[in-house]
Amino acid sequence: FGARTQATIVAGLEHREQAATRVRLDEARAAGELLLGHLRELPGVSRAELAGAARRGKETVGTIRLVAAAARPADVLEAFLAWPAVTHVERRSEAWARFRLTGGVMGELTVTAPKDFARGWLFATGSPAHLARLQSIAAERGVELDGVDDEHVL
């Protein structure tokens, strides 16, 4: 095969691999509700919501994103990741993790302090273009978007 044909084949394989990890919106929302049910039952969780592409209503979803509020985010994250439906943790910090679920779907969980929930939900849900636009509007108004909390939502 020529270089151009090889590049086309590789691009096709990469697209196929990416498509295989995406799920339809209805499947993502159903899985998200199951994950939320488990998350909301964990001790210390005061709120938990679906975020990302599933919340935005995108046709397909590559990562099921969740945001939770808790006084002790690290404890909630640790308990959530111990759930058998979480088969592999790819990356994590004290309050955030990217993981793979049974069936291969990717998930992300962000756990914030209760006062920071709105900001966490915003950043986990908004597309990069939307967030850039919001930051531009905030800058025009002299507001720091990173300073948004539940009492001061733009």
Side-chain angles (χ1 to χ4, degrees):
F1 295 106
R4 190 169 166 184
T5 301
Q6 288 177 14
T8 302
I9 291 170
V10 168
L13 290 172
E14 288 172 352
H15 176 73
R16 183 173 182 204
E17 185 176 300
Q18 179 184 17
T21 62
R22 298 186 71 80
V23 295
R24 292 188 335 247
L25 177 60
D26 62 322
E27 296 170 332
R29 285 188 170 163
E33 287 303 318
L34 286 172
L35 294 169
L36 283 171
H38 172 68
L39 183 57
R40 288 173 176 151
E41 291 178 1
L42 294 176
V45 173
S46 59
R47 183 170 181 186
E49 300 293 342
L50 187 62
R55 180 166 186 264
R56 292 193 315 269
K58 301 300 281 183
E59 193 172 311
T60 62
V61 176
T63 302
I64 299 172
R65 289 186 170 85
L66 307 170
V67 179
R72 297 172 54 121
D75 292 348
V76 169
L77 189 63
E78 188 69 33
F80 182 85
L81 295 175
W83 195 34
V86 176
T87 60
H88 176 71
V89 177
E90 289 201 356
R91 287 183 280 159
R92 74 179 285 183
S93 68
E94 190 172 310
W96 174 87
R98 181 170 176 81
F99 51 87
R100 192 163 298 278
L101 297 164
T102 304
V105 177
M106 292 303 301
E108 286 184 6
L109 172 59
T110 301
V111 186
T112 70
K115 72 177 187 65
D116 297 325
F117 180 82
R119 177 182 41 200
W121 200 16
L122 173 69
F123 280 99
T125 297
S127 69
H130 178 73
L131 293 173
R133 179 68 181 130
L134 286 178
Q135 288 180 333
S136 173
I137 292 168
E140 289 170 8
R141 295 180 183 182
V143 176
E144 181 91 19
L145 186 58
D146 289 344
V148 174
D149 61 29
D150 279 352
E151 295 176 20
H152 304 95
V153 178
L154 292 175

